[in-house]
Amino acid sequence: SLVRPLMARWNIPNATLAIGRDNVIEYRETIRNQNVQSGSPDVRGRIASLSKSITGAAILKLVEDEKLTINALAHEVLASPDPEFVVRGMDERITISHLLRHTAGFTRASGSAVRNNLQWDYEVYPEGTTNRLTVINYALEHLNEAATDPGDTYEYSNIGYLVLGEIVERLSLSEYGLTYEDYVKNNVLPANSEGIEIAHTTPDQPNQFTYTYHGNARPIRMELRDAAGGWMASAPSLLSFLIATEYGELSSIYENQ
């Protein structure tokens, strides 16, 4: 009774719903409008900025495992596996905590390098670019002129979470030989959250919704947004992750943070 009116209002043909109580998923269903074939509640959609909760959990898992401290300087962590590595234009006072809390001082304009900006996807970033560092460097060199001092103000930041993704990857490659995505799958996501993964630019992965953005035929390059907005999940698998953070094996990483 709550979901169908919203679907009708926004002309949504199909939706998946999962509801949990305490640490159990009690309800899962695909809700469909008329003339739309029924689907599975395990069909996956791109979860956009909910991806940041996955990246945040990865960072806190590294903190719990004593591979990182919450007040470490981001530029020092990035350079620790490779002293020659530099994120151009990043304030050296920025800490991991600043990035997690959106208080690193990055401007809102810098985040436009990550949002669904198809012009930049195909005209600014070189064809074939799949690494987040290209986006980070472009944003901080060209779009961050009005930055504030770290810790002074809250400004929601896609770039901050791409930097956190780069930190996860550099530490996990150094410690475990794992990429950002593989580290998350192996060390963060609970076993019953199968199917959560980084979406591909072209929707060639099985069991997922396919759609375009704002009617544009060119796909968003998802790999450039991974840690800030590139994951996909079904409703039950995403809920399994959230339950694990509250009641399960991930709850310990949030203690004292």
Side-chain angles (χ1 to χ4, degrees):
S1 61
L2 294 175
V3 176
R4 288 189 183 279
L6 289 173
M7 293 174 65
R9 177 181 178 185
W10 298 106
N11 196 29
I12 298 172
N14 224 2
T16 63
L17 180 65
I19 299 174
R21 177 182 296 175
D22 296 330
N23 62 345
V24 177
I25 297 178
E26 294 195 342
Y27 180 83
R28 50 198 286 168
E29 182 186 3
T30 293
I31 303 172
R32 61 189 181 93
N33 284 329
Q34 293 181 350
N35 302 321
V36 176
Q37 291 184 351
S38 179
S40 163
D42 293 316
V43 71
R44 299 179 295 173
R46 296 173 180 181
I47 63 172
S49 282
L50 289 175
S51 302
K52 293 179 177 66
S53 63
I54 294 174
T55 300
I59 286 287
L60 294 180
K61 186 70 172 71
L62 288 166
V63 171
E64 182 181 63
D65 292 342
E66 299 183 349
K67 308 300 182 185
L68 182 65
T69 63
I70 202 73
N71 292 313
L73 295 171
H75 81 280
E76 290 184 353
V77 177
L78 286 165
S80 60
D82 178 6
E84 301 300 318
F85 180 83
V86 176
V87 174
R88 298 192 297 271
M90 190 170 75
D91 193 314
E92 293 189 351
R93 297 171 294 173
I94 293 172
T95 67
I96 303 301
S97 179
H98 290 142
L99 294 167
L100 285 170
R101 299 173 188 277
H102 299 278
T103 58
F106 300 145
T107 63
R108 183 166 291 272
S110 69
S112 61
V114 183
R115 291 195 296 270
N116 298 340
N117 195 322
L118 284 166
Q119 179 182 358
W120 288 6
D121 272 16
Y122 290 91
E123 296 177 16
V124 173
Y125 309 131
E127 193 69 32
T129 297
T130 58
N131 69 83
R132 71 188 73 81
L133 190 57
T134 299
V135 183
I136 294 169
N137 282 333
Y138 182 86
L140 297 188
E141 282 191 296
H142 300 283
L143 302 169
N144 205 42
E145 291 87 353
T148 59
D149 287 340
D152 277 3
T153 58
Y154 172 92
E155 188 71 64
Y156 185 85
S157 176
N158 286 306
I159 290 299
Y161 270 74
L162 282 191
V163 174
L164 288 172
E166 190 68 22
I167 286 170
V168 171
E169 180 146 297
R170 291 196 161 266
L171 289 179
S172 59
L173 280 172
S174 174
E175 295 285 341
Y176 310 109
L178 298 174
T179 65
Y180 161 77
E181 181 178 10
D182 287 339
Y183 175 79
V184 168
K185 288 180 176 180
N186 284 276
N187 296 279
V188 179
L189 296 178
N192 60 348
S193 59
E194 182 179 355
I196 300 181
E197 62 181 320
I198 300 294
H200 293 177
T201 294
T202 54
D204 58 355
Q205 294 147 298
N207 198 29
Q208 69 162 311
F209 289 120
T210 59
Y211 42 78
T212 58
Y213 293 84
H214 309 299
N216 196 307
R218 294 190 296 181
I220 290 285
R221 293 169 67 183
M222 298 303 295
E223 294 87 352
L224 298 178
R225 294 162 169 78
D226 57 359
W231 288 86
M232 68 175 181
S234 67
S237 63
L238 181 59
L239 182 55
S240 294
F241 165 70
L242 296 175
I243 287 173
T245 65
E246 184 69 22
Y247 301 102
E249 57 265 45
L250 292 177
S251 60
S252 63
I253 68 175
Y254 295 93
E255 295 175 0
N256 303 318
Q257 301 299 336

